C-alpha cells in the first residue's frame, strides 16, 4: 500500500450551501419591509404522501382579512434539496439543479409583470380597506 | 321564511355570452354568477346582468385569472380568500345575513393535456388547500363548484386523496372516514343523480365523442360539491340547464349547441337558509 492515497472527493462547498426553503424564507421576509407592512409573504411547507417536500410562496394582505395569493410552488425530494421543481405561470414548470439556478428562477418570478401587478393591486386594495375601517371606526 | 341564494356556473368557452348569461340570471333569480373561460369582457357582463335583472351586479376583487365571479350582493359580501398564480381555483368568503360560507370555484386542467393520474394528483393538492382554509376559517361550510374536467366517478373526484366526493347524502353525512390511519372529509356530489336518460335534464353537461374504445359521450364535468354541514340548506335544488326562456341550449341532435351557448351546459343550484328567527346549525 502506498504511503499516501489520493483524495477522490471533489471540492465540496461548505460555506455557502443554502436550502430552497432558506432562499424562499429570506425573500419572503423582505416583502413586509418593502411594502411598509401592507403585504407579507410566507413560505408554507408540506411533506406529501410520496416523499416530496413542497414549499408554497404566498403573498398575504393583512388588511384584506389575510387574503392569500400563491405565487409559486417549489418541490424537491425529502432527501435531496436539489433539483427543485418550480411551478409558476411565469416560469412554467422547470427543474433547477443548483442553488444558482433556483435564485435565477425565483428572481424571474418575483420580478415578473404578473407578480408586480398583483402586489400593486393588493397595496391599493389594502389602503382602501384600511381607510374604510378607519372611517367606520371614526363614526 | 327562508333566505335563498342561487348560483349559476357556466364554462362559456370564451364565447360572448353576456346577454344569454344575463337572461338566465333574470329567469332563475341568480345571485352569484361564476364563469370559466370567460371572454374577459367584464363590462359586458356587468352591464347585461344589471340591465336584465334590475340588480346592480359587480365583480368583487380577487386575482383569479381563470374564474370570474359576478354578484349583485353587496361587494363586501364576496371577499377574496385565496388565489393561486397557476392553479385554476379561486376561494371566496360569502358573508350572508346569518352565516358565512367558503365558495371554491375552479376550472380544472383538461384531459387534452393531463392524464387521469395527473388530474387525481392535482385534485389531492387542491383538496388539501381547501381543508387548510377550512381549518383557518374554523368551519366546513364549503361549496366547491366548477368545471372539474373529470366525471363524478373518476379517482380524482372519489378518492380520499382527491376530492372524496360521494354519491349519497347519507354517506356524506358521516362527515369523514379513516383510511390507513388518516382522516378524510367527505363532500356530497349531487351530480351523481344527473346521469343518463332518467333525469329531468340532459344526460350530462358536456358531450364529447372521439373514436376511442371507451366512450361515455355525455360527461358531467361541471359539478357542485357540498360539505355535509351545508346539506340541511340544500334541498336537491341542482339543475343542468338546457334552455334559456324559449331558447334551447341544445342542437337538433340534443347536444350542447355552441352556436347558441357553449360546448358546456350551465349548472344552477340554490341553498336555503333559515330566517333570522331560527338558529343555524353551525356545524
Amino acid at each position: 500500500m502506498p504511503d499516501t492515497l489520493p483524495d477522490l472527493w471533489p471540492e465540496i462547498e461548505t460555506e455557502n450551501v443554502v436550502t430552497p426553503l432558506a432562499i424562499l424564507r429570506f425573500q419572503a421576509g423582505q416583502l413586509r419591509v418593502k411594502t411598509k407592512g401592507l403585504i407579507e409573504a410566507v413560505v408554507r411547507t408540506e411533506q406529501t404522501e410520496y416523499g416530496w417536500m413542497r414549499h408554497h410562496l404566498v403573498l398575504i394582505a393583512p388588511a384584506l382579512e389575510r387574503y392569500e395569493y400563491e405565487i409559486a410552488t417549489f418541490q424537491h425530494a425529502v432527501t435531496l434539496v436539489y433539483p427543485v421543481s418550480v411551478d409558476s405561470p411565469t416560469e412554467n414548470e422547470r427543474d433547477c439543479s443548483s442553488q444558482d439556478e433556483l435564485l435565477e428562477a425565483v428572481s424571474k418570478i418575483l420580478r415578473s409583470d404578473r407578480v408586480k401587478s398583483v402586489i400593486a393591486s393588493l397595496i391599493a386594495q389594502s389602503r382602501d380597506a384600511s381607510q374604510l375601517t378607519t372611517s367606520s371606526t371614526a363614526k | 321564511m327562508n333566505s335563498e341564494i342561487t348560483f349559476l356556473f357556466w364554462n362559456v368557452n370564451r364565447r360572448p355570452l353576456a346577454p344569454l348569461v344575463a337572461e338566465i340570471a333574470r329567469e332563475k333569480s341568480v345571485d352569484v354568477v361564476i364563469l370559466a373561460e370567460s371572454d374577459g369582457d367584464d363590462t359586458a357582463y356587468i352591464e347585461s346582468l344589471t340591465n336584465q335583472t334590475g340588480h346592480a351586479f359587480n365583480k368583487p376583487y380577487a386575482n383569479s385569472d381563470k374564474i370570474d365571479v359576478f354578484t349583485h350582493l353587496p361587494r363586501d359580501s364576496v371577499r377574496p380568500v385565496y388565489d393561486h398564480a397557476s392553479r385554476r381555483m379561486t376561494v371566496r368568503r360569502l358573508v350572508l345575513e346569518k352565516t358565512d360560507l367558503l365558495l371554491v370555484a375552479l376550472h380544472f386542467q383538461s384531459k387534452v393535456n393531463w392524464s387521469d393520474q395527473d388530474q387525481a394528483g392535482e385534485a389531492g393538492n387542491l383538496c388539501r388547500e381547501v381543508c387548510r382554509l377550512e381549518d383557518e376559517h374554523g368551519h366546513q361550510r364549503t361549496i366547491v363548484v366548477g368545471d372539474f374536467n373529470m366525471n363524478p366517478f373518476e379517482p380524482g373526484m372519489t378518492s380520499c386523496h382527491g376530492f372524496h366526493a360521494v354519491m349519497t347524502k347519507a354517506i356524506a353525512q358521516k362527515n369523514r372516514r379513516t383510511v390507513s390511519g388518516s382522516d378524510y372529509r367527505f363532500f356530497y356530489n349531487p351530480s351523481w343523480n344527473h346521469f343518463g336518460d332518467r333525469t329531468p335534464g340532459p344526460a350530462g353537461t358536456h358531450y364529447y365523442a372521439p373514436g376511442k374504445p371507451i366512450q361515455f359521450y355525455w360527461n358531467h364535468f361541471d359539478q357542485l360539491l357540498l360539505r355535509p354541514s351545508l346539506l340541511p340548506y340544500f334541498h336537491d335544488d341542482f339543475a343542468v340547464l338546457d334552455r334559456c326562456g324559449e331558447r334551447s341550449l341544445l342542437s337538433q341532435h340534443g347536444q350542447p349547441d355552441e352556436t347558441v351557448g357553449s360546448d358546456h351546459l350551465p349548472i344552477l343550484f340554490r341553498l336555503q337558509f333559515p330566517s333570522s328567527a331560527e338558529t343555524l346549525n353551525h356545524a
Side-chain angles (χ1 to χ4, degrees), chain A residues 51-97:
Chain A
W52 293 90
M53 294 298 290
R54 190 177 291 135
H55 310 295
H56 306 269
L57 182 58
V58 184
L59 302 179
I60 293 180
L64 302 177
E65 295 185 336
R66 301 195 67 75
Y67 165 62
E68 299 178 7
Y69 180 83
E70 189 163 333
I71 297 175
T73 308
F74 303 82
Q75 184 168 292
H76 59 80
V78 171
T79 48
L80 289 172
V81 289
Y82 294 100
V84 184
S85 169
V86 181
D87 180 21
S88 150
T90 50
E91 275 292 275
N92 288 317
E93 186 171 340
R94 68 173 269 195
D95 285 341
C96 298
S97 54

Side-chain angles (χ1 to χ4, degrees), chain A residues 31-134:
Chain A
L31 188 65
R32 196 187 161 93
V33 181
K34 273 187 181 287
T35 61
K36 299 184 171 63
L38 284 171
I39 313 294
E40 299 169 4
V42 295
V43 183
R44 222 171 254 135
T45 297
E46 59 173 337
Q47 187 170 338
T48 72
E49 286 95 346
Y50 305 107
W52 293 90
M53 294 298 290
R54 190 177 291 135
H55 310 295
H56 306 269
L57 182 58
V58 184
L59 302 179
I60 293 180
L64 302 177
E65 295 185 336
R66 301 195 67 75
Y67 165 62
E68 299 178 7
Y69 180 83
E70 189 163 333
I71 297 175
T73 308
F74 303 82
Q75 184 168 292
H76 59 80
V78 171
T79 48
L80 289 172
V81 289
Y82 294 100
V84 184
S85 169
V86 181
D87 180 21
S88 150
T90 50
E91 275 292 275
N92 288 317
E93 186 171 340
R94 68 173 269 195
D95 285 341
C96 298
S97 54
S98 68
Q99 185 175 308
D100 286 344
E101 280 185 35
L102 178 62
L103 282 168
E104 186 198 330
V106 173
S107 170
K108 271 191 188 166
I109 292 167
L110 300 187
R111 290 162 182 264
S112 67
D113 289 344
R114 177 63 181 155
V115 169
K116 285 194 285 193
S117 126
V118 168
I119 289 174
S121 137
L122 287 175
I123 288 172
Q125 293 287 339
S126 298
R127 286 212 169 108
D128 278 1
S130 304
Q131 278 167 5
L132 280 175
T133 312
T134 313

